[in-house]
Amino acid sequence: MNKDKEVTIYDLAEKLNISVATVSRALKDDPVVSKKTRKKIYDLAEEMGYRSNHFARNLRNQRTDTIGVIVPRLNSYFMSTIIAGIEQVANSQGYNLIISQSSESAEKEVRSARTMFNNRVDGLLVSLAYDSDNLDHFSSFFKKDIPLLFFDRVAEHENVTSVCIDNRRAAFEATRHLVERGCKRIVHITARSNRNVYTDRLQGYRQALQEHGLPFDESMVMYNNLSQEAGYTAAAEILAMPVLPDGVFVANDNCAASCMIGLKKKGIAIPADIAFVGFNNDPVSTVVEPNLTTINYPGYEMGEVAARHLINHLNGAALITATNTILLRSELIIRESSLR
Amino acid sequence: MNKDKEVTIYDLAEKLNISVATVSRALKDDPVVSKKTRKKIYDLAEEMGYRSNHFARNLRNQRTDTIGVIVPRLNSYFMSTIIAGIEQVANSQGYNLIISQSSESAEKEVRSARTMFNNRVDGLLVSLAYDSDNLDHFSSFFKKDIPLLFFDRVAEHENVTSVCIDNRRAAFEATRHLVERGCKRIVHITARSNRNVYTDRLQGYRQALQEHGLPFDESMVMYNNLSQEAGYTAAAEILAMPVLPDGVFVANDNCAASCMIGLKKKGIAIPADIAFVGFNNDPVSTVVEPNLTTINYPGYEMGEVAARHLINHLNGAALITATNTILLRSELIIRESSLR
DNA sequence: TTGTAGGCGTTATCAA
DNA sequence: TTGATAACGCCTACAA
């Protein structure tokens, strides 16, 4: 057993006194190779510890069996659930994953895209950063017909399929639920961003108000980064309002939970004084008291669907450009935070 | 601009009437190439949309600039924080990440290891699965001197550096804290696993009891998978105990939080009746009421340290085999759940 | 400072 | 059914 040298098909061929071509064919289960030869080759390969060289193969084949993934942040329960779904599908189909995070910066997203491109990924899955406004950094992918797919944080582009939920509708239902529970002054806490997930939710919120004859008041929309800390700040801001709201719809559970806690500390009763609805169905939503009414966001499923769709395209089983948008089902989960 | 053909250094060389060798050198900023030529080459490369071919390069260089990462699960806040740290360092050093999850199954871990090996990762970062008991599946890495590093869920091996916290000591401090708060009957909830993180915590728990003259009672140790659901079940089990405990130390915040909630629903006052300490400092710990006393686990930092250490070794800046274990600092964060 | 040429390990084409 | 051989794109002695 040679310790410092890789075994190649040449070694196998030489030892068996056959050609590398035959070895190569046998290793790919080409039926044209006789059963006997094939077995001999497999056995020897096993014995000598042969492993195929991906680079040599990729160099020839012009494909990498690798899928690139770019996400805004890795460290959230929500995003990691999506990635788990992606990994599950990709791995079962023999694809590797290269993952990189844009840290919510358009600039870093550009760099990540370039890296992915240079690494010759077969396809790319992207959830866009807060502030990345144009898609020029993906043009190299379009030019080379490398399939691209957006998930969660998406954008319109003729060559790209988007996988997401109907954020407008989900927000509409969340807000309507509050209205039906008797709320008349509903605050919406969201992120200042042009990303679909936020603009759509804002739209759904507005629409629900409108359809129920409630006025839309720009001062009732609060913008922050939706972090836990931001939730506490938001609580303080709410308390400082001339007239307190009676409902709050937050675009993210973590922020909603800490906001609730901040208010409770100041003696506000939830849901009696102010009802709450969050978004995502994060683990915190069943820990905070009262448990948080929220939108169930199918993260794992979204990852699976995105990966499967891309891979189908890669295998020629489906044409990605034919699909514009895949909407996953989301639903309102009603818990105590809104039951008043 | 050719649309369907890759630009190679040959194309550049031909167009400029120089040799590929010069082009290759210029592209790597070899100082031996004259400034003028180098500029010409860079400009043309830019203009023609040249991108280096990683496979060809890897095929020559026998390295991939890729680090493999195997983790038990991707979808936890805790693990994704570590990965974010790894990504940050790896990316800044020009390394790519291939990530795969073992889903807590030794069998899948074996497969993942093989995939990583075949992908010729330059190094491997691993957090072991619950039940993977031997390290045979990494022997191919050892044979080829591919550096391997364990983090969080580690195991002893002469060729592997481990990055973790002092779980025994952290658990000791957590338990001691409960004792100092007057707890005499302390339950420990953990996972049934031989992984260091659990055995060490159990040991720390035992030691703290012992040093404070409290008896260790095997029936006070409850084993489950530390999930949120398991926390509710644990609450029921605690309520069914002949004598209620007055303190609970849980090896994971998520499980601790839901256990607290389960108990509270049945009228148990926390911390007055039963004090709680968790582990990890997960976001839920500041959402659950009362806020959970816990061990702050430096996940992001752990990811950074693990990645940096591996890369230093790869760059020849440090010898990985010389280091046995890197212990990160963890600390007890005292919140209301234990203040009685 | 630049050029020549061989080789990294595979696969596909053509011929036998 | 098998074999010989030319790419795939890059890097690096060695030579000039």
Side-chain angles (χ1 to χ4, degrees), chain A residues 73-77 79-80 101, chain B residues 76-77 80-82 84 300:
Chain A
R73 310 211 88 93
L74 240 21
N75 57 344
S76 80
Y77 175 82
M79 197 47 91
S80 54
Q101 52 184 342
Chain B
S76 80
Y77 175 83
S80 54
T81 304
I82 297 185
Y300 194 86

Side-chain angles (χ1 to χ4, degrees), chain B residues 205-235:
Chain B
Y205 160 79
R206 288 185 71 151
Q207 189 183 342
L209 293 184
Q210 188 189 331
E211 292 196 6
H212 292 80
L214 291 174
F216 169 73
D217 178 354
E218 178 63 59
S219 73
M220 297 291 274
V221 181
M222 296 172 48
Y223 298 96
N224 62 34
N225 67 0
L226 297 176
S227 66
Q228 241 189 53
E229 298 71 44
Y232 291 116
T233 316

